[in-house]
Amino acid sequence: MQLGYAARWEALFNEHVSRGLLPGRVIRSDRGSALVATARDEVRATPSTRLLKRATGALDLPAVGDWVALLAPDDLDIPLVEAVLDRTSAIVRGDPGRSSDVQVLAANVDIVFVIHPIAEAPNLRRIERELSLAWDSGARPVVVLTKADLSADAEAAHRRVQEVALGVDVVVTNALTGEGIGPLVDFIEDDRTAVLIGASGAGKSTLVNALLGQDRQATREVRMSDGRGRHTTVARELIAIPSGGVLIDTPGLRALGLTGSEDGIASAFPDIEQLAHSCRFRDCGHVDEPGCAVLDALESGALPQDRLDSFHKLTREAQVAAAKTDARLRAQEERKSKTISKAAKEYHRRLGRR
Ligand SMILES: Nc1nc2c(ncn2[C@@H]2O[C@H](COP(=O)(O)OP(=O)(O)OP(=O)(O)O)[C@@H](O)[C@H]2O)c(=O)[nH]1
Ligand SMILES: [Zn+2]
């Protein structure tokens, strides 16, 4: 089957085969329903009661990119999503450690293209930030520098970005000439799934169009029948590209908040992580601690001040975000227990009246 159906999914799907379920991939997710592509066609499906009962939150419900097991007998008006197969990765909004507070923006993503324009000097701090976020998902980040034709010195920009994108491929593109599009295709062929993140105006749509080629309008639109003879057109958010591979492009991803977790930050700053192993204290904050290997590297010039500042800033933001999530959850718990104790009081009051 198309859309990245690989051996892994076939193996995971095995338990559902005997129940007569169909494998499919979610190509668009709306409130309460999902558009699912199967080997046969594209159908609008809703989560089954069984799936809803088992779900602990939005995290367990179908999101764009998910592989699902579909119950679709001919006598059923609307096919049911019976199960969501275990994800390899997920781009989420909210704190990944807190399932009740998380929304999945894209699932089973292999590559995150971090799109950044170089019409002006690249914003290295922004790239570090977006890389933290990308690493968080579990997918592999690739930095894509756009608008090379407008850059005074694309080579220099490339080098500077490589210095902060450690262990990450950096590709320079120019939409006018098509330079750099080939390498992007190479990253996603073999049925890999990619998403694009980056600021407004960075050149994401332009890249998507370049990857989709000629028939992009037709590639994006699905005509759906509502069963009463009426037809509507909706946009696919997961799109197979002609050269192989899959792109996920959703409005939610574009509006993605920009705080990674501390894990993502650690992956985006492997140089600082490496140095930290040699700090005297295991929980060294690299601020003013004695025996800090990170501060030593700063002193010797091996580590730029800007980069350490950026690391500290992102870490603080991640901690604040995590604390906020904790506070919100505590408030939620309190409200819940208040409601429960109110209910309990009411129950006892009634008992007492008997
Ligand atoms: N000269 C030049 N212009 C480009 C290039 N890539 C994109 N642009 C232009 O940059 C502008 C913004 O590009 P988009 O692709 O719309 O940017 P986007 O990231 O999709 O923006 P949002 O939809 O707001 O998130 C458009 O006017 C593009 O034509 C390039 O390689 N060279
Ligand atoms: Zn230290």
Side-chain angles (χ1 to χ4, degrees):
M1 189 160 72
Q2 282 285 312
L3 300 181
Y5 196 64
R8 175 195 146 82
W9 303 113
E10 221 170 314
L12 274 180
F13 193 77
N14 244 335
E15 60 168 309
H16 303 295
V17 173
S18 58
R19 296 185 53 215
L21 302 182
L22 288 175
R25 193 165 193 195
V26 178
I27 58 175
R28 182 191 167 97
S29 170
D30 297 290
R31 286 187 172 283
S33 83
L35 199 58
V36 180
T38 69
R40 256 193 348 219
D41 52 5
E42 287 166 330
V43 291
R44 168 102 26 225
T46 56
S48 71
T49 315
R50 183 179 124 107
L51 179 63
L52 285 173
K53 266 194 189 147
R54 283 186 177 178
T56 56
L59 194 61
D60 299 327
L61 295 175
V64 60
D66 266 326
W67 285 99
V68 295
L70 213 58
L71 180 67
D74 288 337
D75 56 355
L76 205 62
D77 272 352
I78 300 175
L80 297 174
V81 177
E82 279 277 280
V84 176
L85 306 195
D86 287 347
R87 296 172 182 134
T88 53
S89 66
I91 297 189
V92 296
R93 196 191 333 250
D95 183 343
R98 309 289 186 178
S99 57
S100 59
D101 210 22
V102 170
Q103 186 195 357
V104 180
L105 297 174
N108 303 315
V109 173
D110 302 299
I111 306 273
V112 177
F113 288 128
V114 173
I115 313 299
H116 195 86
I118 51 170
E120 281 159 32
N123 180 342
L124 304 179
R125 309 288 83 91
R126 182 171 180 116
I127 292 174
E128 287 167 340
R129 179 184 288 269
E130 291 180 342
L131 282 175
S132 311
L133 202 78
W135 280 118
D136 255 343
S137 67
R140 168 185 171 193
V142 172
V143 177
V144 182
L145 301 178
T146 58
K147 311 189 188 183
D149 55 302
L150 300 178
S151 171
D153 189 347
E155 269 303 304
H158 188 191
R159 271 197 309 275
R160 295 198 62 203
V161 171
Q162 264 171 334
E163 280 166 16
V164 299
L166 300 175
V168 174
D169 285 302
V170 181
V171 181
V172 177
T173 65
N174 171 356
L176 302 188
T177 61
E179 174 201 345
I181 304 299
L184 297 191
V185 169
D186 293 344
F187 281 111
I188 44 181
E189 67 184 3
D190 296 332
D191 277 343
R192 277 191 283 269
T193 299
V195 301
L196 295 84
I197 65 171
S200 176
K204 297 181 296 296
S205 302
T206 307
L207 281 179
V208 170
N209 289 343
L211 289 167
L212 289 183
Q214 294 290 325
D215 300 323
R216 51 183 174 256
Q217 198 68 16
T219 327
R220 291 213 73 146
E221 287 180 354
V222 204
R223 245 168 89 77
M224 301 292 300
S225 156
D226 65 357
R228 294 192 201 91
R230 280 186 307 229
H231 292 274
T232 51
T233 310
V234 295
R236 290 185 178 83
E237 296 183 335
L238 180 147
I239 320 146
I241 63 171
S243 48
V246 172
L247 281 182
I248 295 179
D249 182 21
T250 78
L253 266 176
R254 294 192 161 212
L256 193 60
L258 284 178
T259 320
S261 77
E262 289 194 74
D263 283 349
I265 295 166
S267 303
F269 292 85
D271 46 349
I272 294 179
E273 275 308 292
Q274 182 63 36
L275 287 165
H277 288 306
S278 309
C279 292
R280 185 178 307 161
F281 303 112
R282 278 192 61 189
D283 62 347
C284 184
H286 326 308
V287 177
D288 52 12
E289 292 86 344
C292 173
V294 174
L295 294 177
D296 286 349
L298 197 67
E299 190 86 11
S300 76
L303 178 72
Q305 179 78 52
D306 285 357
R307 184 148 167 94
L308 182 59
D309 290 347
S310 174
F311 173 83
H312 280 316
K313 185 158 182 263
L314 292 175
T315 304
R316 272 195 305 274
E317 278 178 30
Q319 287 165 348
V320 168
K324 263 191 197 149
T325 310
D326 281 347
R328 204 159 51 226
L329 281 173
R330 266 201 309 278
Q332 235 171 42
E333 285 301 313
E334 257 168 45
R335 270 199 305 277
K336 213 190 284 169
S337 67
K338 261 186 203 153
T339 319
I340 292 171
S341 64
K342 234 192 211 162
K345 264 188 208 147
E346 175 68 14
Y347 175 72
H348 288 296
R349 198 174 60 81
R350 286 188 189 178
L351 272 186
R353 266 213 312 244
R354 271 210 217 142

